[in-house]
Amino acid sequence: LKSNPSNNEEKEAQTQLTKSDELQRLHSQALSAYQQEDYQAAISLLDEILAVCVWDAELRELRAECYINEGEPSKAISDLKAAAKLKNDNTEAFYKISRIYYQLGDHELSLSEVRECLKLDQDHKQCFSLYKHVKKLNKQIESAEEFIREGRYEDAINKYDSAMKTEPDVPIYTTRAKERICHCLSKNQQATEAIKVCTEVLQLEPTNVNALKDRAEAYLLEDLYEE
């Protein structure tokens, strides 16, 4: 404006400056809401800012943290994937995406994302530790499924028992392991044990179709037709 004053440009500049001041104010409010753990308010404010500042990786990472705290992991993944593309060598974003997928029970996608982190930095301690853990669990589950395809049900049960020991703290892996053990026991005609394990699964997930079918097969073996 100093080099080339004109009414039109001054109006445009003032509009942009006003918008800039407004976005800075919203940013301060969003940070304050985040620090006070009012994540819903922070998300609402960040939505407004990101509608304008579409390419801001740090704002997306902040909104992802809010989504994680609000129990909306899929929305967090979306923001973190964008942040991973927007910021060079964003190992932290890949690590967080991998962790979220892992907590959701998707060990294969978790492994894929943590590998992306290690491609950027092979000495990244958190990513390497997570990679070792997920790779071990992934291998156990793959082996167990291979045994099931071969009809080696006892071996599959042992593998799934090992998987539950590898990951005792994330409930979805225990539930999935028990669901597959229930299937193996039913196929192996160990009806009493199958009914017991299938029932444990159904107490956690009453609409689990696989467990219902496998328990039905076990009931048939015991001539419990009503059940």
Side-chain angles (χ1 to χ4, degrees):
L1 274 175
K2 282 174 187 170
S3 66
N4 185 17
S6 82
N7 288 341
N8 283 348
E9 284 174 358
E10 186 170 359
K11 197 174 176 185
E12 172 66 13
Q14 288 298 341
T15 304
Q16 293 293 343
L17 195 57
T18 305
K19 189 186 279 186
S20 170
D21 290 343
E22 173 67 5
L23 288 171
Q24 284 183 320
R25 186 180 65 77
L26 290 172
H27 187 212
S28 297
Q29 287 181 343
L31 286 173
S32 175
Y34 175 75
Q35 282 154 6
Q36 289 167 23
E37 299 182 10
D38 187 353
Y39 301 116
Q40 206 55 56
I43 290 166
S44 181
L45 291 158
L46 289 164
D47 286 346
E48 280 190 69
I49 307 167
L50 279 160
V52 182
C53 307
V54 183
W55 314 114
D56 193 313
E58 284 174 12
L59 290 176
R60 287 189 178 276
E61 286 174 346
L62 181 60
R63 190 168 66 176
E65 282 299 313
C66 294
Y67 281 136
I68 290 166
N69 285 301
E70 280 292 295
E72 297 191 77
S74 58
K75 289 183 180 178
I77 286 170
S78 176
D79 266 344
L80 288 166
K81 284 194 169 181
K85 286 181 183 151
L86 290 166
K87 199 182 343 179
N88 283 341
D89 300 339
N90 197 344
T91 52
E92 194 60 27
F94 284 116
Y95 173 70
K96 284 179 181 175
I97 295 167
S98 179
R99 289 274 318 159
I100 294 170
Y101 275 134
Y102 186 75
Q103 295 293 324
L104 291 172
D106 200 328
H107 51 93
E108 288 171 332
L109 276 176
S110 174
L111 192 59
S112 169
E113 293 296 332
V114 81
R115 279 183 176 136
E116 291 301 317
C117 172
L118 290 170
K119 278 183 197 171
L120 295 171
D121 178 6
Q122 62 186 18
D123 298 321
H124 194 290
K125 283 184 182 172
Q126 286 177 305
C127 285
F128 187 66
S129 172
L130 181 62
Y131 170 72
K132 281 201 302 184
H133 182 74
V134 183
K135 191 181 177 189
K136 181 181 177 184
L137 182 69
N138 195 56
K139 196 168 182 185
Q140 288 171 327
I141 292 169
E142 281 181 349
S143 296
E145 288 301 311
E146 186 62 35
F147 286 141
I148 290 171
R149 284 191 289 275
E150 292 170 2
R152 294 166 60 185
Y153 299 116
E154 282 297 332
D155 290 333
I157 290 166
N158 290 335
K159 271 290 171 203
Y160 270 118
D161 280 334
S162 299
M164 285 193 285
K165 290 189 181 96
T166 298
E167 184 44 80
D169 300 322
V170 182
I172 193 164
Y173 293 107
T174 302
T175 307
R176 290 290 160 270
K178 285 186 173 180
E179 180 193 313
R180 298 305 279 156
I181 289 170
C182 138
H183 175 72
C184 293
L185 290 165
S186 181
K187 286 285 184 190
N188 218 29
Q189 303 201 331
Q190 293 168 261
T192 308
E193 275 300 299
I195 291 164
K196 176 174 169 286
V197 178
C198 295
T199 301
E200 283 175 23
V201 175
L202 289 162
Q203 281 166 349
L204 298 165
E205 293 182 353
T207 57
N208 187 312
V209 174
N210 293 326
L212 285 166
K213 289 196 304 191
D214 288 320
R215 189 169 69 174
E217 292 291 339
Y219 280 141
L220 286 173
L221 291 169
E222 295 286 276
D223 297 336
L224 297 166
Y225 301 118
E226 284 297 321
E227 286 86 341

